[in-house]
Amino acid sequence: MDYIQAIVLAIIEGITEFLPISSTGHMIIASSFFGIAHDDFTKLFTVVIQLGAILSVVVLYFKRFFQTLDFYFKLLAAFIPAVVFGLLFSKKIDALLENPITVAISLVIGGIILLKVDDWFTQKEETQETEKISYATAVKIGLFQCLAMIPGVSRSGASIIGGMSQKLSRKTAAEFSFFLAVPTMLGATVKKCYDYYKDGFVLSHDQINFLIIGNVVAFIVALLAIKSFIGYLSKHGFKMFGYYRIVAGLAILLIHYFVMTLTTL
């Protein structure tokens, strides 16, 4: 990895983290294009810089994020499924992080779902405040979030749809998804760093700089992206993101097919 690659990956993360198009999936595609997807530091980098993007939520929603203890317990309840599944399947998840085809298939399937999701839940939506979400609803949203352990699924998309399935409005579901991202990505970052050091790797001076720059860039870009996404989602729903995912996924599959065909000639 070099500094240009680190900045490009961080910009992609900042733009895509809160959109239902999978930030991890896009970073896997970009890192594969750069030829660094299989590198252990790249895998660490793509997880750790998500924390920078997520911290933009704390800044933008500062007053609402620091609420009652009950609200934090609900976030904890929603976070627990990710802890359990993450610990059980961490090795398999790491293996999937190297595979652009998994991303492409997930993008297409997720895109088809997003085309239908507004119709599925239009009649069920009830405007609620995030503070009034029940513990049962929080846990169910957390279970939906676990689907995003498959690269290309989208953590924000899965958890927002999970919230809408529990009769939350799109806006409320999106905001709770943002809040839930804070403990989720903090936990993922700590776990990934621990595994990296446990496997005997030590960060070089340049790698530390990459992580710092990556988090700062992702944080700044995400600040600009969040408000735009909330406004668009409230007014227009998911269909545009669904079409984008399908086109992007099919394009990746076609490119992979042609590359494999050329290499066998």
Side-chain angles (χ1 to χ4, degrees):
M1 181 179 290
D2 58 35
Y3 284 94
I4 298 298
Q5 292 169 345
I7 291 171
V8 170
L9 289 175
I11 291 172
I12 293 171
E13 163 59 24
I15 293 172
T16 59
E17 177 61 44
F18 300 103
L19 305 182
I21 58 176
S22 178
S23 60
T24 300
H26 280 73
M27 285 193 288
I28 290 171
I29 298 304
S31 59
S32 296
F33 175 80
F34 289 140
I36 57 174
H38 297 282
D39 182 68
D40 288 294
F41 175 73
T42 300
K43 295 177 186 178
L44 174 72
F45 181 86
T46 56
V47 171
V48 173
I49 66 167
Q50 292 181 69
L51 183 61
I54 293 302
L55 289 178
S56 63
V57 173
V58 179
V59 172
L60 288 175
Y61 291 91
F62 185 83
K63 292 182 179 178
R64 293 184 56 194
F65 188 79
F66 292 96
Q67 300 178 29
T68 64
L69 282 176
D70 184 62
F71 176 72
Y72 296 123
F73 286 139
K74 289 174 184 175
L75 284 182
L76 178 62
F79 169 56
I80 287 174
V83 175
V84 174
F85 282 93
L87 291 174
L88 288 175
F89 301 109
S90 60
K91 295 298 182 183
K92 292 183 179 179
I93 294 167
D94 276 349
L96 289 175
L97 290 175
E98 301 178 8
N99 192 345
I101 299 305
T102 301
V103 174
I105 294 171
S106 296
L107 284 172
V108 173
I109 294 173
I112 294 170
I113 292 172
L114 288 184
L115 292 181
K116 298 294 183 180
V117 104
D118 290 318
D119 298 327
W120 290 342
F121 300 120
T122 296
Q123 302 302 318
K124 298 180 180 180
E125 285 188 8
E126 297 177 0
T127 301
Q128 295 186 29
E129 296 295 328
T130 52
E131 298 85 345
K132 296 179 181 178
I133 291 174
S134 69
Y135 280 95
T137 294
V139 172
K140 290 173 184 176
I141 293 172
L143 288 170
F144 269 87
Q145 179 179 245
C146 292
L147 294 172
M149 292 179 181
I150 303 170
V153 168
S154 172
R155 189 209 62 80
S156 63
S159 52
I160 291 170
I161 292 172
M164 291 173 64
S165 74
Q166 302 304 303
K167 300 184 179 181
L168 302 183
S169 67
R170 288 191 295 246
K171 182 175 183 292
T172 303
E175 289 178 347
F176 188 78
S177 171
F178 295 170
F179 295 146
L180 177 57
V182 176
T184 300
M185 294 318 305
L186 179 60
T189 297
V190 172
K191 174 70 166 56
K192 194 66 179 178
C193 289
Y194 172 76
D195 289 344
Y196 191 77
Y197 282 105
K198 188 177 70 172
D199 291 339
F201 296 106
V202 178
L203 292 173
S204 69
H205 177 73
D206 280 341
Q207 288 174 334
I208 292 172
N209 287 338
F210 293 153
L211 290 175
I212 293 172
I213 291 171
N215 274 285
V216 171
V217 171
F219 173 80
I220 294 171
V221 175
L223 281 174
L224 303 174
I226 292 177
K227 290 294 186 180
S228 299
F229 172 57
I230 285 289
Y232 182 90
L233 184 65
S234 298
K235 294 179 180 178
H236 304 290
F238 289 98
K239 278 190 169 58
M240 185 192 76
F241 301 109
Y243 289 124
Y244 171 81
R245 288 178 65 105
I246 292 171
V247 171
L250 291 176
I252 293 166
L253 290 174
L254 285 172
I255 292 169
H256 178 77
Y257 171 77
F258 284 121
V259 170
M260 293 299 293
T261 301
L262 289 174
T263 55
T264 57
L265 293 178

